[in-house]
Amino acid sequence: MTFSYKNKLYAQIGLLVALMGVNAWGSLFLFGFITRTNATLRDAHKELASLSVRQEQIASLAKEYDGAYELFTPLADRLLSREERLQFIMLVEQLAQEAGVSHEISAGDDVVSAGAAKESSPLYFNISVSGIFPNTLRFVYLLEHSRYYLGVEKAQVVLGGGLASVKREGVVSSPDDVKMQLSVRVYTR
């Protein structure tokens, strides 16, 4: 069977149109695939950059932690041994002299909670301080920032706490002084 020139032309045009359709569909499929892969790759790069930034932040935090850890004393060193009560009393005397106040210290009621062991229960002290108001506040500040882990449970301040008859070395008392009574909890090991 022979094709006429006209039929051959129609067949070639049909084949050419079919090839152009396949080419168009193939290129759309290929470029769509490239676009999806590009988006996935872009997201992966963003995630990698984010992880890199987080890794740098973690490394800097680790360096800061190591530096800060060396600055802080371990908790065991900040807890008072129950046998070393005298050291705390000597510390209070030193801080009172440094703050320029007169003081009296006495042991408070050692209340042991039902769940706590006798060895780990805190010690309680009652401290009476008299002097000018800024000095008494300075004493409380020095006490709270001392080397032992403690808490001021109660504080009462009364005007006119200066006792003219009580004079300590380096401490001048007057009727305008304040008297501060503190209940202090000292944590023990």
Side-chain angles (χ1 to χ4, degrees), residues 5-26:
Y5 181 72
K6 195 175 181 185
N7 287 338
K8 284 183 181 177
L9 182 65
Y10 288 143
Q12 286 179 351
I13 290 175
L15 183 63
L16 185 63
V17 168
L19 287 176
M20 286 174 56
V22 168
N23 190 20
W25 179 81

Side-chain angles (χ1 to χ4, degrees), residues 14 36 60 62 85 144 157 159 186:
R36 285 190 301 273
S60 68
R85 294 179 192 197
E144 287 180 337
V157 181
L159 183 62
V186 182

Side-chain angles (χ1 to χ4, degrees), residues 78 88 91 143-144 146 148-152 184-187:
R78 298 217 41 191
F88 180 74
L91 175 71
L143 186 65
E144 287 180 337
S146 67
Y148 296 119
Y149 185 54
L150 58 88
V152 176
V184 178
R185 176 191 293 194
V186 182
Y187 295 93

Side-chain angles (χ1 to χ4, degrees), residues 33-52:
F33 180 73
I34 290 172
T35 304
R36 285 190 301 273
T37 305
N38 186 25
T40 305
L41 189 59
R42 188 178 332 117
D43 291 342
H45 279 292
K46 286 180 183 178
E47 185 70 23
L48 183 62
S50 170
L51 290 175
S52 174

Side-chain angles (χ1 to χ4, degrees), residues 76-77 79-82 84 119-121 148 187-189:
D77 294 343
L79 297 176
L80 179 69
S81 174
R82 292 187 72 79
E84 298 173 350
E119 301 86 39
S120 65
S121 63
Y148 296 119
Y187 295 93
T188 61
R189 48 185 143 136

Side-chain angles (χ1 to χ4, degrees), residues 83-122:
E83 295 80 30
E84 298 173 350
R85 294 179 192 197
L86 183 59
Q87 286 186 352
F88 180 74
I89 294 170
M90 291 170 51
L91 175 71
V92 169
E93 289 178 357
Q94 175 190 355
L95 296 178
Q97 185 178 15
E98 189 176 328
V101 294
S102 59
H103 75 286
E104 292 178 13
I105 185 169
S106 62
D109 296 332
D110 287 344
V111 179
V112 178
S113 64
K118 177 78 172 148
E119 301 86 39
S120 65
S121 63

